[in-house]
Amino acid sequence: MLEWSQLREVARLSDGQVDIDFAIPLTEFPRLPPQPAGTGETMRGRAQFRREGGFAVAALDVDGTVQLVCQRCLRPMRQPVVGHAKIALVASEVEADRVPPEFEPVHAPVGRIRLRDLVEEEVLLGLPIVPLHADPRECRPATQVEIASVAETEADAAMSMQKPF
């Protein structure tokens, strides 16, 4: 079984100062939008487990690309995801209330967590609420762009040929 998919003890990871490099296929994240078959995209990064201020913490870095659907043109688009999080792994709500503000509290039921779940949460936080191509010109089919360009040229020509009388 792959290290990122196993349920691991938080205390053992943080007390042992374990570092885990990972490459998780996007198909392993159930809450992400379905990815096209055969893309083989992965989310890569590193998780560094430590103890800080009495809490088990994980410094998490993620980097990858997710395919989404642009809500302007409804065509596929690639969305880069780069994230960094400092996570305090807590066993209860009471403990979460004591977490310093520089950490994001994450509930680790019964003191155990899957790395995949931490990574998935960071990826979801890195996705836009409304996915759109960065450049709106990417959203129009080339034929519309060409038609608009021709129409502008014709309109300019017609205005220059108008005679006042």
Side-chain angles (χ1 to χ4, degrees):
M1 186 171 264
L2 299 168
E3 195 166 302
W4 48 261
S5 66
Q6 297 175 0
L7 201 53
R8 306 280 303 267
E9 290 183 37
V10 170
R12 184 172 273 167
L13 291 170
S14 58
D15 292 341
Q17 298 187 355
V18 175
D19 293 345
I20 301 173
D21 291 319
F22 58 84
I24 305 173
L26 293 182
T27 56
E28 295 295 324
F29 299 114
R31 296 187 297 157
L32 282 184
Q35 300 297 297
T39 60
E41 292 284 345
T42 60
M43 198 57 59
R44 298 181 182 282
R46 173 176 254 203
Q48 298 173 307
F49 294 90
R50 305 285 185 266
R51 284 240 176 238
E52 287 186 38
F55 292 96
V57 299
L60 182 66
D61 292 302
V62 298
D63 185 14
T65 303
V66 176
Q67 187 158 320
L68 302 173
V69 175
C70 174
Q71 295 304 295
R72 191 182 290 129
C73 67
L74 300 179
R75 290 191 347 214
M77 61 175 274
R78 295 175 53 84
Q79 177 68 45
V81 176
V82 177
H84 176 75
K86 289 183 78 172
I87 301 164
L89 302 161
V90 298
S92 68
E93 243 182 81
V94 172
E95 195 177 6
D97 290 339
R98 295 190 335 249
V99 171
E102 64 267 17
F103 295 102
E104 180 67 33
V106 171
H107 186 242
V110 201
R112 300 173 79 183
I113 196 83
R114 277 188 184 86
L115 178 58
R116 178 194 63 202
D117 298 338
L118 292 176
V119 173
E120 181 180 43
E121 191 67 28
E122 187 62 23
V123 170
L124 288 169
L125 289 170
L127 295 178
I129 294 171
V130 179
L132 299 171
H133 283 104
D135 184 353
R137 293 176 290 188
E138 293 180 58
C139 292
R140 290 183 265 164
T143 55
Q144 284 183 345
V145 172
E146 292 170 358
I147 291 169
S149 177
V150 169
E152 286 175 2
T153 304
E154 289 175 354
D156 289 345
M159 289 187 71
S160 66
M161 295 178 75
Q162 288 181 351
K163 298 180 181 173
F165 301 101

